[in-house]
mmCIF file of all heavy atoms in Angstrom:
data_model
loop_
_atom_site.group_PDB
_atom_site.id
_atom_site.type_symbol
_atom_site.label_atom_id
_atom_site.label_comp_id
_atom_site.label_asym_id
_atom_site.label_seq_id
_atom_site.Cartn_x
_atom_site.Cartn_y
_atom_site.Cartn_z
ATOM 1 N N ILE A 113 20.647 -38.074 16.836
ATOM 2 C CA ILE A 113 20.663 -39.318 17.618
ATOM 3 C C ILE A 113 20.783 -38.983 19.105
ATOM 4 O O ILE A 113 20.019 -39.441 19.942
ATOM 5 C CB ILE A 113 21.867 -40.220 17.198
ATOM 6 C CG1 ILE A 113 21.603 -40.811 15.832
ATOM 7 C CG2 ILE A 113 22.094 -41.338 18.248
ATOM 8 C CD1 ILE A 113 22.735 -41.711 15.338
ATOM 9 N N VAL A 114 21.745 -38.073 19.399
ATOM 10 C CA VAL A 114 21.991 -37.693 20.799
ATOM 11 C C VAL A 114 20.742 -37.002 21.380
ATOM 12 O O VAL A 114 20.248 -37.335 22.461
ATOM 13 C CB VAL A 114 23.217 -36.777 20.884
ATOM 14 C CG1 VAL A 114 23.433 -36.341 22.335
ATOM 15 C CG2 VAL A 114 24.434 -37.460 20.323
ATOM 16 N N THR A 115 20.206 -36.037 20.599
ATOM 17 C CA THR A 115 19.064 -35.268 21.091
ATOM 18 C C THR A 115 17.854 -36.176 21.335
ATOM 19 O O THR A 115 17.228 -36.113 22.399
ATOM 20 C CB THR A 115 18.697 -34.177 20.064
ATOM 21 O OG1 THR A 115 19.883 -33.490 19.676
ATOM 22 C CG2 THR A 115 17.710 -33.185 20.649
ATOM 23 N N LEU A 116 17.520 -36.994 20.310
ATOM 24 C CA LEU A 116 16.335 -37.833 20.434
ATOM 25 C C LEU A 116 16.515 -38.860 21.543
ATOM 26 O O LEU A 116 15.562 -39.195 22.248
ATOM 27 C CB LEU A 116 16.016 -38.502 19.112
ATOM 28 C CG LEU A 116 15.561 -37.575 17.985
ATOM 29 C CD1 LEU A 116 15.110 -38.391 16.794
ATOM 30 C CD2 LEU A 116 14.458 -36.641 18.437
ATOM 31 N N ALA A 117 17.750 -39.394 21.692
ATOM 32 C CA ALA A 117 17.994 -40.357 22.746
ATOM 33 C C ALA A 117 17.717 -39.700 24.098
ATOM 34 O O ALA A 117 17.097 -40.292 24.983
ATOM 35 C CB ALA A 117 19.420 -40.880 22.678
ATOM 36 N N GLY A 118 18.173 -38.438 24.220
ATOM 37 C CA GLY A 118 17.943 -37.704 25.470
ATOM 38 C C GLY A 118 16.468 -37.542 25.738
ATOM 39 O O GLY A 118 16.020 -37.594 26.896
ATOM 40 N N LEU A 119 15.696 -37.313 24.674
ATOM 41 C CA LEU A 119 14.256 -37.117 24.836
ATOM 42 C C LEU A 119 13.513 -38.444 24.945
ATOM 43 O O LEU A 119 12.325 -38.459 25.220
ATOM 44 C CB LEU A 119 13.704 -36.325 23.633
ATOM 45 C CG LEU A 119 14.132 -34.859 23.513
ATOM 46 C CD1 LEU A 119 13.798 -34.317 22.135
ATOM 47 C CD2 LEU A 119 13.438 -34.016 24.583
ATOM 48 N N GLY A 120 14.218 -39.539 24.686
ATOM 49 C CA GLY A 120 13.566 -40.845 24.690
ATOM 50 C C GLY A 120 12.764 -41.103 23.428
ATOM 51 O O GLY A 120 11.843 -41.887 23.403
ATOM 52 N N TRP A 121 13.070 -40.337 22.337
ATOM 53 C CA TRP A 121 12.303 -40.440 21.099
ATOM 54 C C TRP A 121 13.061 -41.147 19.980
ATOM 55 O O TRP A 121 12.621 -41.129 18.841
ATOM 56 C CB TRP A 121 11.890 -39.045 20.616
ATOM 57 C CG TRP A 121 10.818 -38.409 21.458
ATOM 58 C CD1 TRP A 121 10.080 -39.013 22.426
ATOM 59 C CD2 TRP A 121 10.376 -37.067 21.379
ATOM 60 N NE1 TRP A 121 9.192 -38.120 22.967
ATOM 61 C CE2 TRP A 121 9.342 -36.909 22.352
ATOM 62 C CE3 TRP A 121 10.720 -35.951 20.593
ATOM 63 C CZ2 TRP A 121 8.678 -35.690 22.546
ATOM 64 C CZ3 TRP A 121 10.046 -34.764 20.795
ATOM 65 C CH2 TRP A 121 9.039 -34.635 21.755
ATOM 66 N N LEU A 122 14.220 -41.708 20.318
ATOM 67 C CA LEU A 122 15.015 -42.337 19.258
ATOM 68 C C LEU A 122 14.267 -43.563 18.730
ATOM 69 O O LEU A 122 13.739 -44.347 19.514
ATOM 70 C CB LEU A 122 16.385 -42.741 19.819
ATOM 71 C CG LEU A 122 17.430 -43.144 18.797
ATOM 72 C CD1 LEU A 122 17.662 -42.039 17.781
ATOM 73 C CD2 LEU A 122 18.739 -43.498 19.504
ATOM 74 N N GLY A 123 14.190 -43.667 17.390
ATOM 75 C CA GLY A 123 13.480 -44.797 16.798
ATOM 76 C C GLY A 123 11.979 -44.715 16.948
ATOM 77 O O GLY A 123 11.285 -45.704 16.811
ATOM 78 N N THR A 124 11.456 -43.497 17.215
ATOM 79 C CA THR A 124 9.997 -43.334 17.293
ATOM 80 C C THR A 124 9.515 -42.399 16.190
ATOM 81 O O THR A 124 10.276 -41.620 15.623
ATOM 82 C CB THR A 124 9.560 -42.725 18.639
ATOM 83 O OG1 THR A 124 10.054 -41.392 18.704
ATOM 84 C CG2 THR A 124 10.101 -43.529 19.810
ATOM 85 N N PHE A 125 8.220 -42.503 15.923
ATOM 86 C CA PHE A 125 7.605 -41.651 14.906
ATOM 87 C C PHE A 125 7.683 -40.164 15.314
ATOM 88 O O PHE A 125 7.987 -39.312 14.505
ATOM 89 C CB PHE A 125 6.148 -42.082 14.725
ATOM 90 C CG PHE A 125 5.448 -41.356 13.617
ATOM 91 C CD1 PHE A 125 5.722 -41.655 12.286
ATOM 92 C CD2 PHE A 125 4.504 -40.362 13.889
ATOM 93 C CE1 PHE A 125 5.085 -40.986 11.254
ATOM 94 C CE2 PHE A 125 3.882 -39.712 12.862
ATOM 95 C CZ PHE A 125 4.158 -40.019 11.529
ATOM 96 N N THR A 126 7.446 -39.909 16.627
ATOM 97 C CA THR A 126 7.509 -38.527 17.118
ATOM 98 C C THR A 126 8.871 -37.913 16.844
ATOM 99 O O THR A 126 8.985 -36.751 16.420
ATOM 100 C CB THR A 126 7.258 -38.503 18.641
ATOM 101 O OG1 THR A 126 6.229 -39.455 18.934
ATOM 102 C CG2 THR A 126 6.877 -37.145 19.131
ATOM 103 N N GLY A 127 9.926 -38.702 17.085
ATOM 104 C CA GLY A 127 11.276 -38.221 16.851
ATOM 105 C C GLY A 127 11.470 -37.834 15.396
ATOM 106 O O GLY A 127 12.033 -36.776 15.079
ATOM 107 N N LEU A 128 10.941 -38.682 14.472
ATOM 108 C CA LEU A 128 11.078 -38.394 13.052
ATOM 109 C C LEU A 128 10.328 -37.100 12.677
ATOM 110 O O LEU A 128 10.811 -36.300 11.863
ATOM 111 C CB LEU A 128 10.565 -39.562 12.224
ATOM 112 C CG LEU A 128 11.456 -40.809 12.183
ATOM 113 C CD1 LEU A 128 10.874 -41.825 11.205
ATOM 114 C CD2 LEU A 128 12.871 -40.430 11.753
ATOM 115 N N VAL A 129 9.145 -36.924 13.275
ATOM 116 C CA VAL A 129 8.374 -35.717 12.985
ATOM 117 C C VAL A 129 9.196 -34.479 13.349
ATOM 118 O O VAL A 129 9.337 -33.532 12.564
ATOM 119 C CB VAL A 129 7.031 -35.709 13.753
ATOM 120 C CG1 VAL A 129 6.378 -34.333 13.659
ATOM 121 C CG2 VAL A 129 6.108 -36.776 13.200
ATOM 122 N N LEU A 130 9.786 -34.519 14.549
ATOM 123 C CA LEU A 130 10.588 -33.384 15.018
ATOM 124 C C LEU A 130 11.733 -33.085 14.036
ATOM 125 O O LEU A 130 11.917 -31.933 13.602
ATOM 126 C CB LEU A 130 11.166 -33.675 16.417
ATOM 127 C CG LEU A 130 12.047 -32.591 17.008
ATOM 128 C CD1 LEU A 130 11.208 -31.376 17.382
ATOM 129 C CD2 LEU A 130 12.810 -33.102 18.230
ATOM 130 N N VAL A 131 12.471 -34.125 13.653
ATOM 131 C CA VAL A 131 13.615 -33.923 12.782
ATOM 132 C C VAL A 131 13.178 -33.450 11.401
ATOM 133 O O VAL A 131 13.773 -32.541 10.810
ATOM 134 C CB VAL A 131 14.432 -35.233 12.677
ATOM 135 C CG1 VAL A 131 15.538 -35.082 11.638
ATOM 136 C CG2 VAL A 131 15.020 -35.563 14.036
ATOM 137 N N HIS A 132 12.099 -34.018 10.881
ATOM 138 C CA HIS A 132 11.642 -33.598 9.560
ATOM 139 C C HIS A 132 11.147 -32.160 9.549
ATOM 140 O O HIS A 132 11.279 -31.449 8.547
ATOM 141 C CB HIS A 132 10.575 -34.573 9.033
ATOM 142 C CG HIS A 132 11.161 -35.795 8.424
ATOM 143 N ND1 HIS A 132 10.712 -36.341 7.236
ATOM 144 C CD2 HIS A 132 12.231 -36.558 8.801
ATOM 145 C CE1 HIS A 132 11.458 -37.417 6.948
ATOM 146 N NE2 HIS A 132 12.365 -37.551 7.887
ATOM 147 N N CYS A 133 10.600 -31.717 10.670
ATOM 148 C CA CYS A 133 10.201 -30.297 10.752
ATOM 149 C C CYS A 133 11.433 -29.411 10.640
ATOM 150 O O CYS A 133 11.420 -28.430 9.893
ATOM 151 C CB CYS A 133 9.494 -30.014 12.082
ATOM 152 S SG CYS A 133 7.858 -30.682 12.115
#
Side-chain angles (χ1 to χ4, degrees):
Chain A
I113 287 180
V114 178
T115 312
L116 293 187
L119 291 166
W121 287 350
L122 193 56
T124 66
F125 186 74
T126 321
L128 286 186
V129 169
L130 178 70
V131 173
H132 278 223
C133 286

